[in-house]
């Protein structure tokens, strides 16, 4: 299957700081990437859909000014958690949709564990 | 009511058993059905992908979709301890790009 990378894999930061997470599709182009959040023992909750060259589409209840998304190229999307607080601590996972795939399959990155002190 | 229902488990089976994992859904517009496997603290890995109704087999894994009952299944034959993980079903309609996930079933295969 196609490979999606995320960086960093783990980050610990102080309350009030901003954290940037990168998501890259390594061997395919992705016009669309997705950002999910997952709490322990719970399923993935879609936060936003990232579209290359245009604004992201946020799910209801997700603050777009807090979770800034940039999809600058066909292989890179970034999520910036601004002014992070302890309640933002979670596992953040991106996925990339293979635009050239037969069924436009989604492939997931390994996730980023964010801990806000 | 959630759009996709999945028993969270945990489901514990002995090594070599046949495992049956299931999801039900309410949205008749769903056309694409997927199963993902997620190991602890890792991202989900795509296992099976099915369009519309029918069966699909890949090695020890078989995916079934029954759209008339809005019910999908994943069967794992000759289960191994390495199959121990959380299995997530996911689905989407033709027009929507994002997936709707089940809550995941935690599977434990005992050696």
């Amino acid at each position: 299957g196609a490979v999606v990378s995320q960086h960093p894999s783990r980050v610990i930061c102080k309350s009030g700081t901003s954290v940037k997470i990168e998501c890259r599709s390594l061997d395919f182009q992705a016009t669309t990437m997705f950002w999910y959040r997952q709490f322990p023992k719970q399923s993935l909750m879609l936060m936003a859909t990232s579209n290359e060259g245009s604004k992201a589409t946020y799910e209801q209840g997700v603050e777009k000014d807090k979770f800034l998304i940039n999809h600058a190229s066909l292989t890179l999307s970034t999520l910036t958690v601004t002014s992070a607080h302890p309640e933002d601590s979670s596992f953040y996972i991106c996925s990339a949709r293979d635009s050239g795939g037969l069924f436009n399959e989604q492939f997931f990155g390994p996730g980023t564990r964010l801990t806000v002190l | 009511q959630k759009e996709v229902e999945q028993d969270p488990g945990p489901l514990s089976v002995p090594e070599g058993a046949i495992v049956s994992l299931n999801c039900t859904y309410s949205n008749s517009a769903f056309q694409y059905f997927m199963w993902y496997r997620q190991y602890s603290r890792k991202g989900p890995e795509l296992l099976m992908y099915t369009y519309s109704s029918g069966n699909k087999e890949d090695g020890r894994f078989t995916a079934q979709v029954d759209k008339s009952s809005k019910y999908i299944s994943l069967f794992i034959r000759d289960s191994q301890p390495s199959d121990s993980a959380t299995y997530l079903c996911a689905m989407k309609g033709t027009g929507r790009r994002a997936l709707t996930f089940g809550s995941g079933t935690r599977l434990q295969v005992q050696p």
Side-chain angles (χ1 to χ4, degrees):
Chain A
V3 179
V4 176
S5 70
Q6 263 184 259
H7 178 80
S9 59
R10 181 186 296 264
V11 58
I12 301 173
C13 68
K14 292 182 179 180
S15 184
T17 60
S18 294
V19 175
K20 180 187 281 189
I21 303 170
E22 292 186 349
C23 177
R24 293 182 185 272
S25 58
L26 298 186
D27 50 3
F28 65 98
Q29 293 186 334
T31 55
T32 305
M33 292 184 175
F34 303 91
W35 286 96
Y36 295 84
R37 184 172 179 174
Q38 187 177 36
F39 292 105
K41 298 186 179 181
Q42 293 188 26
S43 190
L44 289 81
M45 298 299 296
L46 179 65
M47 298 175 65
T49 301
S50 172
N51 305 297
E52 188 267 336
S54 64
K55 291 183 178 180
T57 304
Y58 290 82
E59 295 299 299
Q60 191 173 12
V62 178
E63 299 176 58
K64 60 182 180 182
D65 294 331
K66 181 168 186 61
F67 298 99
L68 300 178
I69 291 172
N70 183 275
H71 194 153
S73 76
L74 288 172
T75 59
L76 173 64
S77 176
T78 60
L79 169 68
T80 301
V81 183
T82 62
S83 186
H85 289 90
E87 58 266 29
D88 298 323
S89 298
S90 188
F91 193 50
Y92 292 86
I93 308 176
C94 72
S95 73
R97 193 169 72 114
D98 185 351
S99 308
L102 184 62
F103 295 111
N104 293 155
E105 299 95 314
Q106 279 191 39
F107 299 95
F108 284 82
T112 297
R113 184 159 302 281
L114 170 64
T115 302
V116 184
L117 303 176
Chain B
Q1 182 189 7
K2 293 181 182 178
E3 274 193 300
V4 180
E5 297 279 359
Q6 187 176 7
D7 188 333
L11 177 62
S12 183
V13 301
E15 183 175 355
I18 297 175
V19 175
S20 173
L21 303 165
N22 312 292
C23 287
T24 59
Y25 63 95
S26 57
N27 190 341
S28 58
F30 288 144
Q31 294 283 341
Y32 299 90
F33 304 92
M34 285 133 279
W35 286 95
Y36 287 86
R37 177 175 62 196
Q38 186 177 23
Y39 292 110
S40 182
R41 298 175 180 267
K42 301 291 184 183
E45 171 194 9
L46 180 64
L47 280 178
M48 301 285 286
Y49 196 120
T50 309
Y51 172 71
S52 195
S53 288
N55 294 356
K56 186 175 182 180
E57 188 173 323
D58 184 1
R60 297 186 294 113
F61 298 91
T62 300
Q64 287 185 352
V65 175
D66 182 349
K67 290 191 66 181
S68 63
S69 302
K70 297 190 178 65
Y71 188 88
I72 70 170
S73 301
L74 177 70
F75 298 96
I76 306 174
R77 291 185 298 279
D78 188 24
S79 56
Q80 303 295 311
S82 58
D83 295 328
S84 299
T86 296
Y87 289 80
L88 299 148
C89 65
M91 48 199 79
K92 75 182 186 79
T94 306
R96 181 167 164 78
R97 293 175 294 177
L99 296 173
T100 301
F101 281 89
S103 56
T105 299
R106 192 155 59 94
L107 172 66
Q108 297 171 342
V109 181
Q110 307 293 340

